[in-house]
Amino acid sequence: MKAAPSINGDLAARVAVDTAAMEWTASPSGTVWRKRVHLVGPAESGQVTSVVRYEPSSTFHGHNHPDGEEILVLEGVFSDEHGDWPVGTYLLNPEGFRHAPFSRDGCVLFVKLRQFPGRTREHVALRTESLPWEPVRAGVAVRRLYAQAGFTDTTRLERWEPGAPLGRVEYASGAELFVLDGSFRDTSGAFARGAWLRLPPGESHSPSTDEGCVLYIKEGGFAYLRAG
C-alpha cells in the first residue's frame, strides 16, 4: 500500500499545531471526521495522531489494532461493545484488541494509532476524573495514566496552577503535549486548548501560565515512532 504524504514526520523538529484552527477532514466512515497532526505511512494504516469527531448516531466498522491504540475522550460519550466511555475516559487498547466503535450522541477524541507495539501491554480503561491529583512540586500535580515495565512510554495528565513556578522543564526522551484546558506560553509562542506540541529528545522549555492549564503529556514515545 502506497504511503501518503507524511504529516510532521520529521522527528528531529519541534512541532506545534493549533488543532482548534484546523478544518475537519473526512474518514472512510461518512460520519467520523478527523484533524491529523502526525501521519507516517499509508493514509488509513500508518502511524497517526489526531483529534477525531464522531457525529451523533455514527458508527465505525469493526477493526483490529495492530501496534495498539490510545484514546482520551475530550467531549461526549464514546462507545464500543466493551462499554460506554464518557468525557475524561482514558483508553489504551493494546496490540490484538478489536472493537466496533460508535457514538449515540456524538463525541470528540484525542487518538494515537499504531504507536504501542507489544502484546504484553496491559489494556487500560480509566475514568480520569476519579483519579487523585498527586502533587509533584510547587504548583504542579499529576494524574498517572500509563506506565508499564518493559516499555519506555509513560502517559499522564498534568495540572499547572496559575502562576506556578515551572522553571526549566527538560524532556530527555522527548515528549508530546496536548492542552486540554487553560493555556500556557514559552519562548516559542502561546498555546491554548487544542494545541498539540511535540518536543524531540533532549528538548527543553520554560513554560509559564497566568490562568493555569491541564495537559496530556506523553514521554518516551519516540522509541516507537517512525520518521517519514
Side-chain angles (χ1 to χ4, degrees):
M1 186 177 296
K2 184 179 179 180
S6 66
I7 300 172
N8 294 319
D10 181 359
L11 300 183
R14 173 173 169 153
V15 181
V17 179
D18 178 9
T19 67
M22 295 174 65
E23 297 291 331
W24 293 103
T25 61
S27 77
S29 167
T31 57
V32 178
W33 301 80
R34 58 205 181 184
K35 299 177 178 182
R36 292 179 154 185
V37 296
H38 169 72
L39 171 66
V40 173
E44 302 305 330
S45 59
Q47 284 192 334
V48 64
T49 298
S50 56
V51 178
V52 176
R53 176 169 60 88
Y54 280 64
E55 295 180 5
S57 303
S58 60
T59 61
F60 210 88
H61 59 81
H63 55 274
N64 297 315
H65 278 292
D67 290 337
E69 170 191 51
E70 185 183 64
I71 295 172
L72 182 63
V73 183
L74 305 177
E75 299 176 20
V77 179
F78 171 74
S79 300
D80 59 19
E81 64 268 38
H82 306 285
D84 295 320
W85 313 109
V87 60
T89 299
Y90 171 81
L91 301 169
L92 180 61
N93 299 326
E95 189 171 335
F97 184 86
R98 181 177 176 82
H99 66 165
F102 61 93
S103 183
R104 298 179 185 88
D105 298 318
C107 64
V108 178
L109 316 171
F110 178 68
V111 180
K112 296 177 72 65
L113 295 174
R114 300 174 189 87
Q115 301 171 39
F116 307 92
R119 286 187 171 270
T120 60
R121 284 185 187 265
E122 300 167 355
H123 176 257
V124 180
L126 296 173
R127 303 289 177 88
T128 62
E129 74 280 358
S130 68
L131 300 176
W133 284 108
E134 304 174 28
V136 292
R137 61 184 185 279
V140 179
V142 301
R143 284 173 167 166
R144 303 183 191 278
L145 305 182
Y146 178 77
Q148 185 177 344
F151 300 98
T152 63
D153 53 315
T154 64
T155 306
R156 66 186 183 273
L157 302 185
E158 192 159 299
R159 184 181 66 191
W160 298 346
E161 297 292 345
L166 299 170
R168 193 78 179 165
V169 182
E170 299 184 356
Y171 302 102
S173 57
E176 292 184 49
L177 287 66
F178 186 73
V179 181
L180 302 174
D181 193 23
S183 65
F184 78 94
R185 66 172 53 250
D186 62 19
T187 56
S188 66
F191 308 101
R193 181 176 180 177
W196 175 80
L197 296 85
R198 190 180 65 209
L199 285 71
E203 188 81 17
S204 63
H205 66 159
S206 297
S208 63
T209 176
D210 293 330
E211 63 174 321
C213 65
V214 177
L215 306 104
Y216 157 104
I217 300 179
K218 177 178 292 296
E219 294 192 62
F222 275 77
Y224 308 114
L225 293 179
R226 297 192 299 270

